[in-house]
Structure formats: structure tokens, C-alpha cells
Amino acid sequence: MKHTTMNYLFALFAGIALSMPAWAADVVVIVNNANANAVDKSFVVKIYTGETKYWLDNSGPIFAIDQSEDNPIRADFYSSVLGKTSANMKALWAQNIFAGKGLPPKVVDPDAEVKKVVSTNKNAIGYIKASSVDDSVKAIKW
């Protein structure tokens, strides 16, 4: 009986964790407070894979920010939001650069610097730990 209860609790907590949206995890996507664009997960994927370069409201080019390769939040963002590994993204951007499709997002690290850049640039988008969010930026939820 005890073993069955543990299995039930494990399944319950696993189900809850898997059903949580990306913003509820340790990583959250942020934009400038003045950014009125509707940003959903598929749009974020298009930004970070180089498919989209301009905001939907034609307010200008998107200034995407990535964190450094050794920052664990980067791997978390890639897997939970983009559905890719760091190696996948490195290969994708190598292809994009070779094909002349653009350059990868600018690397800014740590979270405080990402927030600073996003809060001062209306076209910026980035990601940080959920615990680092404050009112200087707008957290995107989907």
C-alpha cells in the first residue's frame, strides 16, 4: 500500500510539473515595458531561430538577447522554450550565418545586465531567471 501511494504522488507531481507553462519554470521571457506586441511561444521561437527579425507592429527590428553559453539559464531556455539543445542552436546559427540569414542574438550576462538592456531598449527581448523579474521589465506569459 505504501509503495502505491508513493507511485501515485510521484505521478501527480510529475504531471503538474509537465503541465506548467514555460514562464512558470525557472526561466521567463522579458520585453520592454513599452512593448505592446502580442508575444507567444511560437513568436519567441521564430525570433531565437532567426525566422523573424521585426516586431509584428512594425515598431522596428527585434533586438534579441541571449545569455552566455556557460549560464545554466541558457540551456533551460533552449530546452523549455525553444525545444532545442545548445548544440542544436549552435548548428542552426552556423547555418544561418553561412546562408547570410543573419547573426545570432547578442550575448549579455548576467540577469541584471539583460534586464538593464531590455528596460532601456523598446525593441529588446531576452530571458532571465523567474526570480530575477522586477517591474523594470515585462514578463511574457503564455
Coordinates of all heavy atoms in Angstrom, one line a residue, residues 30-112:
I30 N 11.4 38.1 -21.3 CA 11.1 39.5 -20.9 C 11.2 40.4 -22.1 O 12.0 40.2 -23.0 CB 12.0 40.0 -19.7 CG1 13.4 40.0 -20.1 CG2 11.7 39.3 -18.5 CD1 14.4 40.7 -19.2
V31 N 10.4 41.5 -22.1 CA 10.4 42.6 -23.1 C 10.4 43.9 -22.3 O 10.1 43.9 -21.1 CB 9.3 42.5 -24.1 CG1 9.4 41.2 -25.0 CG2 7.9 42.6 -23.5
N32 N 10.6 45.0 -23.1 CA 10.5 46.3 -22.5 C 9.1 46.6 -22.1 O 8.1 46.1 -22.7 CB 10.9 47.3 -23.6 CG 11.0 48.7 -23.1 OD1 10.0 49.4 -23.0 ND2 12.2 49.2 -22.8
N33 N 8.9 47.3 -21.1 CA 7.5 47.7 -20.6 C 6.7 48.4 -21.6 O 5.5 48.3 -21.6 CB 7.6 48.5 -19.3 CG 8.0 47.7 -18.1 OD1 7.5 46.5 -17.9 ND2 8.7 48.3 -17.2
A34 N 7.3 49.1 -22.5 CA 6.5 49.8 -23.6 C 6.2 49.0 -24.8 O 5.5 49.4 -25.6 CB 7.4 51.1 -24.0
N35 N 6.7 47.8 -24.8 CA 6.4 46.9 -25.9 C 5.0 46.3 -25.8 O 4.6 45.6 -24.9 CB 7.4 45.7 -25.9 CG 7.3 44.8 -27.1 OD1 6.3 44.7 -27.7 ND2 8.5 44.3 -27.6
A36 N 4.1 46.7 -26.8 CA 2.7 46.3 -26.8 C 2.5 45.1 -27.7 O 1.3 44.7 -27.9 CB 1.9 47.5 -27.2
N37 N 3.5 44.5 -28.3 CA 3.3 43.4 -29.2 C 2.8 42.1 -28.4 O 3.1 41.9 -27.3 CB 4.6 43.0 -29.9 CG 5.0 44.0 -30.9 OD1 4.5 43.9 -32.0 ND2 5.9 44.9 -30.6
A38 N 2.0 41.4 -29.1 CA 1.5 40.1 -28.6 C 2.6 39.1 -28.8 O 2.9 38.8 -30.0 CB 0.2 39.7 -29.3
V39 N 3.2 38.6 -27.8 CA 4.3 37.7 -27.9 C 3.9 36.4 -27.3 O 3.6 36.3 -26.1 CB 5.6 38.3 -27.1 CG1 6.7 37.3 -27.2 CG2 6.0 39.6 -27.7
D40 N 3.9 35.3 -28.1 CA 3.7 34.0 -27.7 C 4.9 33.1 -27.9 O 5.9 33.5 -28.4 CB 2.4 33.4 -28.3 CG 2.5 33.3 -29.8 OD1 3.6 33.4 -30.4 OD2 1.5 33.0 -30.5
K41 N 4.8 31.9 -27.4 CA 5.9 31.0 -27.5 C 6.4 30.8 -28.9 O 7.6 30.8 -29.2 CB 5.5 29.6 -26.9 CG 6.7 28.7 -26.7 CD 6.3 27.4 -26.0 CE 7.5 26.5 -25.8 NZ 7.1 25.3 -25.0
S42 N 5.5 30.6 -29.9 CA 5.9 30.4 -31.3 C 6.6 31.6 -31.9 O 7.6 31.4 -32.6 CB 4.7 30.0 -32.2 OG 3.8 31.0 -32.3
F43 N 6.2 32.8 -31.4 CA 6.9 34.0 -31.9 C 8.3 34.1 -31.3 O 9.3 34.4 -32.0 CB 6.1 35.2 -31.5 CG 6.6 36.5 -32.2 CD1 6.6 36.7 -33.5 CD2 7.1 37.5 -31.4 CE1 7.0 37.9 -34.1 CE2 7.6 38.7 -32.0 CZ 7.5 38.9 -33.3
V44 N 8.5 33.7 -30.0 CA 9.8 33.7 -29.4 C 10.7 32.7 -30.1 O 11.9 32.9 -30.4 CB 9.7 33.3 -27.9 CG1 11.0 33.1 -27.3 CG2 8.9 34.4 -27.2
V45 N 10.1 31.5 -30.5 CA 10.9 30.5 -31.2 C 11.4 31.1 -32.5 O 12.6 30.9 -32.9 CB 10.1 29.2 -31.4 CG1 10.8 28.3 -32.4 CG2 9.8 28.5 -30.1
K46 N 10.5 31.8 -33.2 CA 10.9 32.4 -34.5 C 12.0 33.4 -34.4 O 12.9 33.6 -35.2 CB 9.7 33.0 -35.2 CG 8.7 32.0 -35.8 CD 7.5 32.6 -36.4 CE 6.5 31.5 -36.9 NZ 5.3 32.1 -37.4
I47 N 11.9 34.2 -33.3 CA 12.9 35.2 -33.0 C 14.3 34.6 -32.8 O 15.3 34.9 -33.4 CB 12.6 36.1 -31.8 CG1 11.3 36.9 -32.1 CG2 13.8 36.9 -31.3 CD1 10.7 37.6 -30.9
Y48 N 14.3 33.6 -31.9 CA 15.6 33.0 -31.5 C 16.2 32.0 -32.5 O 17.3 31.6 -32.3 CB 15.5 32.4 -30.1 CG 15.6 33.5 -29.0 CD1 14.5 34.2 -28.6 CD2 16.9 33.8 -28.6 CE1 14.7 35.2 -27.7 CE2 17.1 34.9 -27.6 CZ 16.0 35.5 -27.2 OH 16.1 36.6 -26.3
T49 N 15.4 31.6 -33.5 CA 15.9 30.8 -34.6 C 16.2 31.6 -35.8 O 16.7 31.0 -36.8 CB 15.0 29.6 -34.9 OG1 13.7 30.2 -35.3 CG2 14.8 28.7 -33.7
G50 N 16.0 32.9 -35.8 CA 16.3 33.8 -36.9 C 15.2 33.9 -38.0 O 15.4 34.5 -39.0
E51 N 14.1 33.3 -37.7 CA 13.0 33.3 -38.7 C 12.3 34.6 -38.8 O 11.7 35.0 -39.8 CB 12.0 32.2 -38.4 CG 12.4 30.8 -38.7 CD 11.4 29.8 -38.3 OE1 10.2 30.0 -38.8 OE2 11.7 28.8 -37.6
T52 N 12.3 35.4 -37.6 CA 11.6 36.6 -37.5 C 12.6 37.7 -37.1 O 13.3 37.5 -36.1 CB 10.4 36.6 -36.5 OG1 9.5 35.6 -37.0 CG2 9.7 37.9 -36.3
K53 N 12.6 38.8 -37.7 CA 13.6 39.9 -37.4 C 12.9 41.2 -37.0 O 13.5 42.1 -36.5 CB 14.5 40.1 -38.6 CG 15.4 39.0 -38.9 CD 16.2 39.3 -40.1 CE 17.2 38.2 -40.4 NZ 16.8 36.9 -40.8
Y54 N 11.6 41.3 -37.2 CA 10.9 42.6 -36.9 C 9.6 42.3 -36.0 O 9.0 41.3 -36.2 CB 10.4 43.2 -38.2 CG 11.6 43.7 -39.0 CD1 12.2 42.9 -40.0 CD2 12.1 45.0 -38.8 CE1 13.3 43.4 -40.7 CE2 13.3 45.4 -39.5 CZ 13.8 44.6 -40.4 OH 14.9 45.0 -41.1
W55 N 9.3 43.3 -35.2 CA 8.1 43.2 -34.4 C 6.9 43.2 -35.2 O 6.9 43.9 -36.3 CB 8.1 44.3 -33.3 CG 9.1 44.1 -32.3 CD1 10.3 44.8 -32.1 CD2 9.1 43.2 -31.2 NE1 11.0 44.4 -31.1 CE2 10.3 43.3 -30.5 CE3 8.2 42.2 -30.8 CZ2 10.6 42.6 -29.4 CZ3 8.5 41.4 -29.7 CH2 9.7 41.6 -29.0
L56 N 5.8 42.6 -34.8 CA 4.6 42.5 -35.5 C 4.0 43.8 -35.8 O 3.3 44.0 -36.8 CB 3.6 41.6 -34.8 CG 4.1 40.1 -34.7 CD1 3.1 39.3 -33.8 CD2 4.2 39.4 -36.0
D57 N 4.1 44.8 -34.9 CA 3.5 46.1 -35.1 C 4.4 47.1 -35.9 O 4.1 48.3 -35.9 CB 3.2 46.7 -33.7 CG 4.4 47.1 -32.9 OD1 5.6 46.9 -33.4 OD2 4.3 47.7 -31.8
N58 N 5.4 46.5 -36.5 CA 6.3 47.3 -37.4 C 7.0 48.4 -36.6 O 7.4 49.5 -37.2 CB 5.6 47.9 -38.6 CG 5.1 46.9 -39.5 OD1 5.8 45.9 -39.8 ND2 3.9 47.0 -40.0
S59 N 7.3 48.2 -35.3 CA 7.9 49.2 -34.5 C 9.5 49.2 -34.6 O 10.2 50.0 -34.0 CB 7.6 49.1 -33.0 OG 7.9 47.8 -32.5
G60 N 9.9 48.2 -35.4 CA 11.4 48.2 -35.7 C 11.9 46.8 -35.6 O 11.2 45.8 -35.3
P61 N 13.2 46.7 -35.8 CA 13.9 45.3 -35.7 C 13.9 44.8 -34.2 O 14.0 45.6 -33.3 CB 15.3 45.6 -36.2 CG 15.5 47.0 -36.0 CD 14.2 47.7 -36.1
I62 N 13.8 43.5 -34.1 CA 13.9 42.9 -32.8 C 15.4 42.8 -32.4 O 16.2 42.4 -33.1 CB 13.3 41.5 -32.8 CG1 11.8 41.6 -33.2 CG2 13.5 40.8 -31.5 CD1 11.2 40.2 -33.5
F63 N 15.6 43.2 -31.1 CA 17.0 43.1 -30.6 C 16.9 42.0 -29.6 O 16.6 42.2 -28.4 CB 17.4 44.5 -29.9 CG 18.7 44.5 -29.3 CD1 19.8 44.1 -30.1 CD2 18.9 44.8 -28.0 CE1 21.1 44.1 -29.5 CE2 20.2 44.8 -27.4 CZ 21.3 44.5 -28.2
A64 N 17.3 40.8 -30.0 CA 17.2 39.6 -29.2 C 18.5 39.4 -28.4 O 19.6 39.7 -28.9 CB 17.0 38.3 -30.1
I65 N 18.3 39.1 -27.1 CA 19.5 38.9 -26.2 C 19.5 37.4 -25.8 O 18.5 36.9 -25.4 CB 19.3 39.8 -25.0 CG1 19.3 41.3 -25.5 CG2 20.4 39.6 -24.0 CD1 18.9 42.2 -24.4
D66 N 20.7 36.9 -25.8 CA 21.0 35.5 -25.3 C 21.9 35.6 -24.1 O 22.5 36.7 -23.9 CB 21.7 34.8 -26.5 CG 21.4 33.3 -26.5 OD1 20.8 32.8 -25.5 OD2 21.7 32.6 -27.5
Q67 N 21.9 34.6 -23.3 CA 22.8 34.6 -22.2 C 24.1 33.8 -22.6 O 24.1 33.1 -23.6 CB 22.2 34.1 -20.9 CG 21.0 35.0 -20.5 CD 21.0 35.3 -19.0 OE1 22.0 35.2 -18.3 NE2 19.9 35.8 -18.6
S68 N 25.1 33.8 -21.8 CA 26.4 33.2 -22.1 C 26.2 31.6 -22.2 O 25.3 31.1 -21.5 CB 27.5 33.6 -21.2 OG 27.2 33.2 -19.9
E69 N 27.1 31.0 -22.9 CA 27.0 29.5 -23.1 C 27.1 28.8 -21.8 O 26.5 27.7 -21.6 CB 28.1 29.1 -24.0 CG 27.8 29.4 -25.5 CD 28.8 28.8 -26.4 OE1 29.1 27.5 -26.3 OE2 29.3 29.5 -27.3
D70 N 27.9 29.3 -20.8 CA 28.1 28.6 -19.6 C 27.0 28.9 -18.5 O 27.1 28.4 -17.4 CB 29.5 28.9 -19.0 CG 29.7 30.4 -18.7 OD1 28.9 31.2 -19.2 OD2 30.6 30.7 -18.0
N71 N 26.1 29.7 -18.9 CA 25.0 30.1 -17.9 C 23.9 29.0 -18.0 O 23.3 28.8 -19.1 CB 24.4 31.5 -18.2 CG 23.5 32.0 -17.2 OD1 22.8 31.2 -16.5 ND2 23.4 33.3 -17.0
P72 N 23.6 28.3 -16.9 CA 22.5 27.3 -17.0 C 21.2 27.7 -17.4 O 20.4 27.0 -18.0 CB 22.5 26.7 -15.5 CG 23.6 27.4 -14.8 CD 24.1 28.5 -15.6
I73 N 20.9 29.0 -17.2 CA 19.6 29.5 -17.7 C 19.4 29.5 -19.2 O 18.3 29.3 -19.7 CB 19.3 31.0 -17.1 CG1 17.8 31.3 -17.2 CG2 20.1 32.0 -17.9 CD1 17.0 30.6 -16.1
R74 N 20.5 29.6 -19.9 CA 20.5 29.5 -21.4 C 20.1 28.1 -21.8 O 19.2 27.9 -22.6 CB 21.9 29.8 -21.9 CG 22.0 29.7 -23.4 CD 23.3 30.2 -23.9 NE 23.5 30.0 -25.4 CZ 24.4 30.6 -26.1 NH1 25.2 31.5 -25.5 NH2 24.5 30.5 -27.4
A75 N 20.6 27.0 -21.2 CA 20.2 25.7 -21.5 C 18.7 25.4 -21.2 O 18.0 24.8 -21.9 CB 21.1 24.7 -20.8
D76 N 18.3 26.0 -20.0 CA 16.9 25.9 -19.6 C 16.0 26.6 -20.6 O 15.0 26.0 -21.0 CB 16.8 26.5 -18.2 CG 15.4 26.2 -17.6 OD1 14.7 25.3 -18.0 OD2 15.1 26.9 -16.6
F77 N 16.4 27.8 -21.1 CA 15.6 28.5 -22.1 C 15.5 27.7 -23.4 O 14.4 27.5 -23.9 CB 16.2 29.9 -22.3 CG 15.6 30.6 -23.4 CD1 14.3 31.2 -23.3 CD2 16.2 30.8 -24.6 CE1 13.7 31.9 -24.4 CE2 15.7 31.5 -25.7 CZ 14.4 32.0 -25.6
Y78 N 16.6 27.2 -23.8 CA 16.7 26.5 -25.1 C 15.8 25.3 -25.0 O 15.0 25.0 -26.0 CB 18.1 26.1 -25.4 CG 19.0 27.2 -26.0 CD1 20.3 26.9 -26.3 CD2 18.6 28.5 -26.2 CE1 21.2 27.8 -26.8 CE2 19.4 29.4 -26.7 CZ 20.7 29.1 -27.0 OH 21.5 30.1 -27.5
S79 N 15.8 24.5 -23.9 CA 15.1 23.3 -23.9 C 13.6 23.6 -23.6 O 12.7 23.0 -24.2 CB 15.6 22.3 -22.8 OG 15.6 22.8 -21.5
S80 N 13.3 24.4 -22.6 CA 11.9 24.6 -22.2 C 11.1 25.5 -23.1 O 9.9 25.3 -23.3 CB 11.8 25.1 -20.8 OG 12.3 26.4 -20.7
V81 N 11.7 26.5 -23.8 CA 11.0 27.4 -24.6 C 11.2 27.0 -26.1 O 10.3 27.0 -26.9 CB 11.4 28.9 -24.3 CG1 10.7 29.8 -25.3 CG2 11.1 29.2 -22.9
L82 N 12.5 26.8 -26.5 CA 12.7 26.6 -27.9 C 12.6 25.1 -28.3 O 12.5 24.8 -29.5 CB 14.1 27.1 -28.3 CG 14.4 28.6 -28.0 CD1 15.8 28.9 -28.4 CD2 13.4 29.5 -28.6
G83 N 12.7 24.2 -27.3 CA 12.6 22.8 -27.6 C 13.9 22.3 -28.3 O 13.9 21.4 -29.1
K84 N 15.0 22.9 -28.0 CA 16.3 22.6 -28.6 C 17.4 22.5 -27.6 O 17.3 23.0 -26.5 CB 16.7 23.6 -29.7 CG 15.6 23.8 -30.8 CD 16.2 24.3 -32.0 CE 15.1 24.5 -33.1 NZ 14.8 23.3 -33.8
T85 N 18.5 21.9 -28.0 CA 19.7 21.9 -27.1 C 20.6 23.0 -27.6 O 20.5 23.6 -28.6 CB 20.5 20.5 -27.3 OG1 21.0 20.5 -28.6 CG2 19.6 19.3 -27.0
S86 N 21.6 23.3 -26.7 CA 22.6 24.3 -27.1 C 23.4 23.9 -28.4 O 23.6 24.8 -29.2 CB 23.7 24.4 -25.9 OG 23.0 25.0 -24.8
A87 N 23.6 22.6 -28.6 CA 24.3 22.1 -29.8 C 23.4 22.4 -31.0 O 23.9 22.8 -32.1 CB 24.7 20.7 -29.7
N88 N 22.1 22.1 -30.9 CA 21.2 22.4 -32.0 C 21.2 23.9 -32.3 O 21.2 24.2 -33.5 CB 19.7 22.0 -31.6 CG 19.4 20.6 -31.3 OD1 18.6 20.3 -30.5 ND2 20.1 19.7 -32.0
M89 N 21.2 24.7 -31.4 CA 21.1 26.2 -31.6 C 22.5 26.6 -32.2 O 22.4 27.5 -33.1 CB 20.8 26.9 -30.3 CG 19.4 26.7 -29.8 SD 18.2 27.3 -31.1 CE 18.4 29.0 -31.1
K90 N 23.6 26.1 -31.8 CA 24.9 26.5 -32.3 C 24.9 26.1 -33.8 O 25.4 26.9 -34.7 CB 26.0 25.8 -31.5 CG 27.4 26.4 -31.9 CD 28.4 25.7 -31.0 CE 28.5 26.4 -29.7 NZ 29.7 26.0 -28.9
A91 N 24.4 24.9 -34.1 CA 24.4 24.4 -35.5 C 23.5 25.3 -36.4 O 23.8 25.6 -37.5 CB 24.0 23.0 -35.6
L92 N 22.3 25.6 -35.8 CA 21.3 26.4 -36.6 C 21.9 27.8 -36.9 O 21.8 28.2 -38.0 CB 20.1 26.6 -35.7 CG 19.0 27.4 -36.4 CD1 17.9 26.5 -36.9 CD2 18.5 28.4 -35.4
W93 N 22.5 28.4 -35.9 CA 23.1 29.7 -36.2 C 24.3 29.7 -37.1 O 24.5 30.6 -37.9 CB 23.4 30.5 -34.9 CG 22.1 31.1 -34.4 CD1 21.4 30.7 -33.4 CD2 21.4 32.2 -35.0 NE1 20.2 31.5 -33.3 CE2 20.2 32.4 -34.3 CE3 21.7 33.0 -36.1 CZ2 19.3 33.4 -34.6 CZ3 20.8 34.0 -36.4 CH2 19.6 34.2 -35.7
A94 N 25.1 28.6 -37.1 CA 26.2 28.4 -38.0 C 25.6 28.4 -39.5 O 26.1 29.0 -40.4 CB 27.0 27.2 -37.7
Q95 N 24.5 27.7 -39.6 CA 23.8 27.6 -41.0 C 23.3 29.0 -41.3 O 23.4 29.4 -42.5 CB 22.7 26.6 -40.9 CG 23.1 25.1 -40.8 CD 22.0 24.2 -40.6 OE1 20.8 24.6 -40.4 NE2 22.2 22.9 -40.7
N96 N 22.6 29.7 -40.4 CA 22.1 31.0 -40.7 C 23.1 32.0 -41.1 O 22.9 32.7 -42.1 CB 21.3 31.5 -39.5 CG 20.0 30.9 -39.3 OD1 19.5 30.1 -40.1 ND2 19.4 31.2 -38.1
I97 N 24.3 32.0 -40.4 CA 25.4 32.9 -40.8 C 25.9 32.5 -42.1 O 26.1 33.4 -43.0 CB 26.5 32.8 -39.7 CG1 25.9 33.4 -38.4 CG2 27.7 33.5 -40.1 CD1 26.8 33.1 -37.2
F98 N 26.2 31.2 -42.4 CA 26.7 30.8 -43.7 C 25.8 31.2 -44.8 O 26.2 31.6 -45.9 CB 27.0 29.3 -43.7 CG 27.6 28.8 -44.9 CD1 28.9 29.0 -45.2 CD2 26.8 28.1 -45.8 CE1 29.5 28.5 -46.3 CE2 27.4 27.6 -47.0 CZ 28.8 27.8 -47.2
A99 N 24.5 31.0 -44.6 CA 23.5 31.3 -45.6 C 23.2 32.8 -45.7 O 22.4 33.3 -46.6 CB 22.2 30.6 -45.4
G100 N 23.8 33.6 -44.9 CA 23.5 35.1 -44.9 C 22.2 35.5 -44.4 O 21.6 36.5 -44.7
K101 N 21.6 34.7 -43.5 CA 20.2 34.9 -43.0 C 20.3 35.8 -41.7 O 19.2 36.1 -41.2 CB 19.5 33.6 -42.7 CG 19.2 32.8 -43.9 CD 18.4 31.6 -43.5 CE 18.0 30.8 -44.8 NZ 17.3 29.6 -44.4
G102 N 21.4 36.1 -41.3 CA 21.5 36.9 -40.1 C 22.5 36.5 -39.1 O 23.2 35.4 -39.3
L103 N 22.6 37.2 -38.0 CA 23.5 36.9 -36.9 C 22.7 36.5 -35.7 O 21.6 36.9 -35.5 CB 24.4 38.2 -36.6 CG 25.3 38.7 -37.7 CD1 25.9 40.0 -37.3 CD2 26.3 37.6 -38.0
P104 N 23.4 35.7 -34.8 CA 22.7 35.2 -33.6 C 22.4 36.4 -32.6 O 23.0 37.5 -32.8 CB 23.7 34.2 -33.0 CG 25.0 34.6 -33.6 CD 24.7 35.2 -34.9
P105 N 21.6 36.2 -31.7 CA 21.3 37.2 -30.7 C 22.6 37.6 -29.9 O 23.5 36.9 -29.8 CB 20.4 36.5 -29.7 CG 19.7 35.4 -30.5 CD 20.8 35.0 -31.4
K106 N 22.6 38.9 -29.5 CA 23.7 39.4 -28.8 C 23.8 38.7 -27.4 O 22.7 38.6 -26.7 CB 23.5 40.9 -28.6 CG 24.6 41.6 -27.8 CD 24.4 43.1 -27.8 CE 25.4 43.8 -26.9 NZ 26.7 43.8 -27.2
V107 N 25.0 38.4 -26.9 CA 25.1 37.8 -25.6 C 25.3 38.8 -24.6 O 26.2 39.7 -24.7 CB 26.3 36.8 -25.6 CG1 26.6 36.2 -24.2 CG2 26.1 35.6 -26.6
V108 N 24.4 38.8 -23.5 CA 24.5 39.7 -22.4 C 24.3 38.8 -21.2 O 23.4 38.0 -21.1 CB 23.4 40.8 -22.5 CG1 23.4 41.6 -21.2 CG2 23.5 41.6 -23.7
D109 N 25.1 39.0 -20.2 CA 25.1 38.2 -19.0 C 25.5 39.0 -17.8 O 26.4 39.9 -18.0 CB 26.0 37.0 -19.2 CG 25.7 35.8 -18.4 OD1 24.5 35.5 -18.2 OD2 26.6 35.1 -17.9
P110 N 25.1 38.9 -16.6 CA 24.0 38.0 -16.1 C 22.6 38.7 -16.2 O 22.4 39.7 -16.9 CB 24.4 37.9 -14.6 CG 25.1 39.2 -14.3 CD 25.7 39.7 -15.6
D111 N 21.7 38.1 -15.4 CA 20.3 38.6 -15.5 C 20.2 40.1 -15.3 O 19.4 40.7 -16.0 CB 19.5 37.9 -14.4 CG 19.1 36.4 -14.7 OD1 19.5 36.0 -15.8 OD2 18.5 35.8 -13.9
A112 N 20.9 40.7 -14.4 CA 20.8 42.1 -14.1 C 21.1 42.9 -15.4 O 20.5 43.9 -15.7 CB 21.7 42.5 -13.0

